[in-house]
Amino acid sequence: MIKQLNAAPDHAKLVAWVNEWAELCEPEAIYWCDGTNTEYYGLCDEMVKSGLAVRLNSKLRPDCVLFKSDPSDVARVEARTYIASEKKEDAGPTNNWIDPVELKKEMRALYKGCMHGRTMYVIPYSMGPVGSNIAKIGVEITDSAYVVINMHVMTRVGNAVLDVLGKDGEFVPCIHSVGKPLENGASDNGIWPCAPMDKKYIAQFPETREIWSFGSGYGGNAILGKKCLALRIATVQARDEGWMAEHMLILKLTNPEGKVKYVTGAFPSACGKTNLAMLIPTLPGWKVETIGDDIAWMKFGKDGRLYAINPENGFFGVAPGTSMHSNKNAMLSCAKETIFTNCALRENGDIWWEGIEVPLEPGEKLIDWKGNVWEQGQVDADGNKVKAAHPNARFSARAKNCPAIASNWEDPNGVPIDAFLFGGRRPSTLPLVYQSMSWEHGVFIGSTVGSEVTAAALDVKAGTVRRDPFAMLPFCGYNMGDYFQHWLDIGKVEGAKLPKIFCVNWFRKTADGRWLWPGFGENSRVLKWIFERCDGEGKAVETPIGFMPTTDAIDRSGIENEVTDADIAELLTFDKEGWKNELAMIKEHYKKFDRLPKALADQLAQLEERLAK
Ligand code: SAT
Ligand code: MN
């Protein structure tokens, strides 16, 4: 007999679905999550008691817990992530595919009895403000209390969601298990439960809009509202329903006169998306406020503009490299009520990571993310520096604790978007900023987004560019060529008043490897030009790649010594030879797509013509 820890809601389809999974997974008990603080802190206490989590010093880091995962379970596993569409072509050349019937058979065998000795938590959640017409409801079944508390932070959980669902409302069913049954009263003994790599599956079924996840407890593999629902499944819904689900930050930009523009941006990972969303402008009188740092859902309003909501409720941020200098607002967001994963633990009961820019006491000993004693400067047997925190260590912080969060960030109608930014780390060729010549040209720019990977840190020239169209490569739930077509179709919607499209690159270097642009808060100077361009102002010259600012169009007041006339000229030159090489790389990149829209092939041909002139 499975214990029922509390009453099930009055929604026959939902209850039947939960019972069906309980029968297969055979948990010890079923618990319906209500989203309260009592539930959240109760689960935290349980996990601290069982040794899965450490409570941090309540004076330094109030209401915070630290988890360390299994060393094999530290990030999203793209090789084990599947788009199980009925037809392989519909998943496309950039996604892993297995026949859905076969995959379900295989996974059902794994789920059989997988929750022995565990509680099955049922989490009703909303992506987006509860009740917003842009929001969507999901229900996640999981056997991980760690997932429950993370869903509390990252989504809106509980009874308010059930109220919106009513007796027969629609939801995206999401099933998750860590894949580690506890037999005969065994316990985890403080060890992060997960399954071996060849048993892990992160499966999306686009036609039936289901998510099945097995074997991992970490991040996007397990917190299913985020990448699985809000991107992979939502992209499919957005295509069918005429809206957009994008891997984009959303920021609110206010000029000294109090005029507001909303900007979204797509960047591949490790390009500073969270930093841009929480930027502190160095330009006097300018203000940046955060709406979201990872995902944007956009729908047309009656006025033809695209309105965006942030479907999330928190930030699942990369910890290493985050400091009061690189991102003060992120540091303050995780000052309290935060879940830390795979960070290091200090003697004083606070967290620590590489790049936090908080000095340690002389000789201070930390507990590293693997649970070992760690000292600064420690090297392994091969002479490599041992890291205290895992490079993908995370903080799960509440959006409401971010000092830069915009007062209207939860507006159920969303905010009207003025500009889309695309960018990556490009030490050469790509200028600091340029604007597309048309919507279609902007879609072309989005489809070619890339970031340079340097073999060695000092090796500037030998970098190859890893292309990540719209920063969506691991997150698009259908054929990428069809996704490009969806972007083109959005541009043809009657009466649409579309955002302007820009490409930015904060990462230009000189030939001898010096950064040309200071980045961080100084990026507000580029945002200022973008703001002006949205109003039909801001000086620009037309070049073969698009509209580029004139060298005096970027406000350098106060940084003329840091970014000299020569620097800004280099940042804003059209590099004809570099672009010929770029064109060849884009041609190669485009060969990957089996359903490349003709309009994008035309854009490529037109760029080639303009470069040849
Ligand atoms: O683990 S997540 O997918 O949520 C984070 C990321 O990879 O961006
Ligand atoms: Mn992301």
Side-chain angles (χ1 to χ4, degrees):
M1 261 308 276
I2 301 170
K3 265 184 276 178
Q4 302 280 339
L5 297 177
N6 53 3
D10 186 12
H11 188 305
K13 200 173 151 200
L14 172 56
V15 173
W17 171 74
V18 168
N19 287 340
E20 182 193 317
W21 279 99
E23 212 167 286
L24 182 64
C25 300
E26 300 168 355
E28 199 170 279
I30 300 177
Y31 174 76
W32 292 81
C33 297
D34 61 15
T36 58
N37 273 336
T38 314
E39 174 176 286
Y40 179 90
Y41 288 110
L43 290 173
C44 287
D45 286 345
E46 265 179 38
M47 288 186 281
V48 168
K49 236 183 254 152
S50 74
L52 277 173
V54 171
R55 184 173 310 290
L56 297 174
N57 182 324
S58 63
K59 291 208 181 71
L60 301 173
R61 220 35 87 172
D63 300 316
C64 290
V65 279
L66 169 65
F67 288 82
K68 63 176 188 294
S69 79
D70 188 275
S72 71
D73 197 26
V74 292
R76 275 186 298 104
V77 282
E78 291 181 13
R80 306 292 307 169
T81 300
Y82 294 89
I83 301 299
S85 47
E86 283 159 17
K87 291 202 206 101
K88 183 167 197 246
E89 312 87 87
D90 292 335
T94 59
N95 282 313
N96 298 318
W97 179 85
I98 304 184
D99 177 81
V101 176
E102 222 172 274
L103 181 57
K104 283 190 169 176
K105 196 172 148 211
E106 186 155 343
M107 288 187 76
R108 268 204 192 91
L110 293 171
Y111 283 121
K112 177 78 193 142
C114 71
M115 294 188 185
H116 283 177
R118 296 188 188 277
T119 298
M120 173 190 260
Y121 302 94
V122 187
I123 316 167
Y125 67 95
S126 175
M127 296 312 287
V130 179
S132 158
N133 83 320
I134 314 182
K136 297 264 179 205
I137 290 177
V139 181
E140 176 166 354
I141 291 174
T142 180
D143 53 6
S144 161
Y146 170 82
V147 167
V148 177
I149 60 168
N150 271 279
M151 288 294 283
H152 268 242
V153 175
M154 295 305 300
T155 76
R156 291 148 175 103
V157 169
N159 294 337
V161 179
L162 289 177
D163 290 345
V164 174
L165 260 190
K167 284 180 193 283
D168 55 6
E170 252 183 71
F171 61 94
V172 175
C174 315
I175 165 85
H176 169 254
S177 171
V178 294
K180 187 104 198 301
L182 296 168
E183 306 299 352
N184 309 318
S187 93
D188 285 321
N189 289 320
I191 294 167
W192 177 275
C194 61
M197 193 56 87
D198 64 341
K199 299 243 157 54
K200 286 186 186 18
Y201 284 100
I202 320 300
Q204 282 75 203
F205 301 92
E207 283 94 359
T208 51
R209 303 201 169 146
E210 294 168 281
I211 299 162
W212 289 23
S213 167
F214 187 90
S216 167
Y218 204 90
N221 300 334
I223 304 163
L224 301 183
K226 196 174 174 62
K227 308 295 190 184
C228 300
L229 190 153
L231 288 174
R232 297 194 193 101
I233 292 295
T235 48
V236 176
Q237 295 177 306
R239 176 199 61 191
D240 294 350
E241 298 165 8
W243 52 283
M244 305 176 88
E246 300 299 328
H247 190 203
M248 286 178 161
L249 67 94
I250 312 168
L251 65 83
K252 178 179 184 178
L253 181 61
T254 308
N255 78 357
E257 287 74 52
K259 237 176 130 177
V260 171
K261 304 247 179 265
Y262 292 97
V263 178
T264 68
F267 299 79
S269 52
C271 292
K273 216 153 98 246
T274 303
N275 292 354
L276 181 59
M278 299 180 187
L279 171 147
I280 299 172
T282 50
L283 275 181
W286 286 76
K287 196 154 84 177
V288 167
E289 290 162 285
T290 314
I291 306 276
D293 81 326
D294 198 37
I295 300 175
W297 283 358
M298 291 170 278
K299 265 191 187 165
F300 282 110
K302 287 199 183 74
D303 58 0
R305 301 186 69 186
L306 277 171
Y307 285 77
I309 62 161
N310 168 13
E312 301 193 275
N313 198 28
F315 310 117
F316 189 62
V318 176
T322 305
S323 69
M324 289 301 271
H325 167 248
S326 71
N327 193 337
K328 183 176 174 184
N329 286 317
M331 287 306 286
L332 296 173
S333 305
C334 63
K336 61 175 182 183
E337 300 170 336
T338 299
I339 306 159
F340 294 92
T341 311
N342 288 346
C343 303
L345 178 65
R346 293 190 64 180
E347 282 173 359
N348 65 5
D350 201 358
I351 40 78
W352 195 85
W353 52 69
E354 279 71 20
I356 195 171
E357 293 182 41
V358 172
L360 298 172
E361 299 296 330
E364 182 175 347
K365 290 190 171 47
L366 275 58
I367 304 295
D368 70 15
W369 71 276
K370 288 182 173 166
N372 299 322
V373 176
W374 181 95
E375 262 184 282
Q376 213 147 20
Q378 193 171 314
V379 290
D380 65 15
D382 302 325
N384 298 317
K385 244 187 169 171
V386 177
K387 291 209 152 77
H390 186 276
N392 193 38
R394 297 276 175 161
F395 55 80
S396 318
R398 294 164 199 249
K400 71 173 170 61
N401 287 339
C402 178
I405 201 79
S407 59
N408 59 335
W409 82 280
E410 296 192 276
D411 187 335
N413 299 316
V415 295
I417 300 304
D418 297 284
F420 286 156
L421 312 187
F422 296 119
R425 286 179 179 263
R426 299 298 306 270
S428 65
T429 314
L430 268 70
L432 178 63
V433 57
Y434 65 100
Q435 183 185 353
S436 78
M437 291 184 278
S438 64
W439 178 263
E440 289 194 357
H441 179 231
V443 176
F444 171 77
I445 292 172
S447 73
T448 62
V449 164
S451 219
E452 197 142 327
V453 277
T454 41
L458 295 175
D459 193 352
V460 185
K461 287 224 177 72
T464 55
V465 179
R466 185 184 296 147
R467 301 283 161 181
D468 184 358
F470 298 86
M472 284 292 278
L473 211 48
F475 306 123
C476 183
Y478 59 102
N479 187 303
M480 190 61 92
D482 295 343
Y483 167 84
F484 295 163
Q485 186 59 52
H486 181 55
W487 266 82
L488 294 163
D489 292 344
I490 288 284
K492 292 188 211 124
V493 168
E494 219 177 279
K497 294 198 186 74
L498 298 162
K500 304 237 180 323
I501 300 178
F502 299 84
C503 182
V504 297
N505 177 23
W506 323 125
F507 301 95
R508 267 298 284 272
K509 285 184 173 176
T510 56
D512 57 2
R514 175 174 64 87
W515 295 112
L516 274 165
W517 183 250
F520 300 106
E522 307 297 0
N523 293 338
S524 56
R525 298 165 190 275
V526 176
L527 293 179
K528 178 182 176 186
W529 183 76
I530 289 168
F531 188 110
E532 292 163 354
R533 293 295 291 171
C534 289
D535 279 342
E537 297 160 9
K539 281 203 280 179
V541 281
E542 189 171 347
T543 76
I545 59 166
F547 295 103
M548 254 202 254
T550 54
T551 49
D552 61 344
I554 300 292
D555 187 340
R556 278 186 299 144
S557 48
I559 57 161
E560 299 93 336
N561 292 333
E562 199 179 341
V563 182
T564 63
D565 291 352
D567 289 341
I568 197 74
E570 189 169 348
L571 280 161
L572 296 175
T573 39
F574 159 58
D575 171 7
K576 192 164 183 172
E577 284 316 301
W579 271 93
K580 286 191 172 157
N581 183 36
E582 184 76 14
L583 183 85
M585 289 196 286
I586 294 172
K587 278 186 182 168
E588 270 311 298
H589 164 61
Y590 265 14
K591 283 186 191 159
K592 284 201 286 282
F593 305 108
D594 58 341
R595 293 184 187 169
L596 187 77
K598 180 172 180 300
L600 291 187
D602 291 348
Q603 282 295 327
L604 181 64
Q606 286 163 23
L607 174 64
E608 183 160 25
E609 266 171 44
R610 294 193 301 267
L611 289 173
K613 269 189 201 142

